[in-house]
Amino acid sequence: MKVEARLFDVTTSFFILSAIVYGVWSKEPVGTVALILTGGLSLIVGSYFHFVARRVERRPEDNPDAEISDGAGEVGFFSAGSYWPVTLAASGGVSALALAFWQVWLLVIGLVLVLMSVAGLVFEYHTRPNATD
């Protein structure tokens, strides 16, 4: 997690420095505030990664002397045949179009579809405990 934390430290520094330079050169407050807020959001994520990096064991990505084989093994479970990501993307697209054209009725439908898609994705492999019939 230290690699990710450093990455966000660099982006935070870049956005804050860009905000200072932009604010001095342009004298335009909206862009300066946007760059400062972007740097603040990057700082939040970087702080989270610093917080987590202290509590998890060291990963091969954090060791500069690590070999490729040190990272071998199971990474996680990824569903190869799930259609829920497609439904989530489609419902997000419907919601974005409804928001762009400000069609409130379609936005409500799109948000309901997004919530249903997220629930389907989260609970796709959830099985209830052995229930007695």
Side-chain angles (χ1 to χ4, degrees):
M1 293 302 235
K2 292 185 186 277
V3 174
E4 292 89 349
R6 287 188 195 124
L7 178 69
F8 278 96
D9 289 344
V10 169
T11 58
T12 300
S13 305
F14 171 76
F15 284 123
I16 297 300
L17 181 66
S18 297
I20 293 169
V21 171
Y22 184 81
V24 169
W25 278 353
S26 72
K27 308 274 193 250
E28 193 262 322
V30 176
T32 307
V33 170
L35 285 169
I36 290 170
L37 291 176
T38 304
L41 289 173
S42 178
L43 178 66
I44 290 171
V45 176
S47 299
Y48 170 76
F49 281 137
H50 278 293
F51 180 76
V52 171
R54 287 182 283 171
R55 286 165 175 70
V56 296
E57 61 188 41
R58 190 171 175 158
R59 302 177 309 156
E61 291 88 351
D62 296 328
N63 183 5
D65 299 325
E67 298 291 327
I68 293 176
S69 61
D70 293 340
E74 184 177 334
V75 177
F77 175 73
F78 303 99
S79 178
S82 177
Y83 290 106
W84 286 111
V86 176
T87 61
L88 185 60
S91 59
V94 168
S95 299
L97 282 173
L99 194 59
F101 293 110
W102 195 243
Q103 299 294 319
V104 178
W105 62 274
L106 188 59
L107 183 60
V108 170
I109 292 172
L111 291 177
V112 168
L113 289 173
V114 165
L115 291 175
M116 289 172 50
S117 299
V118 167
L121 184 64
V122 168
F123 295 115
E124 182 174 12
Y125 291 102
H126 178 72
T127 57
R128 63 185 183 148
N130 295 336
T132 57
D133 290 320

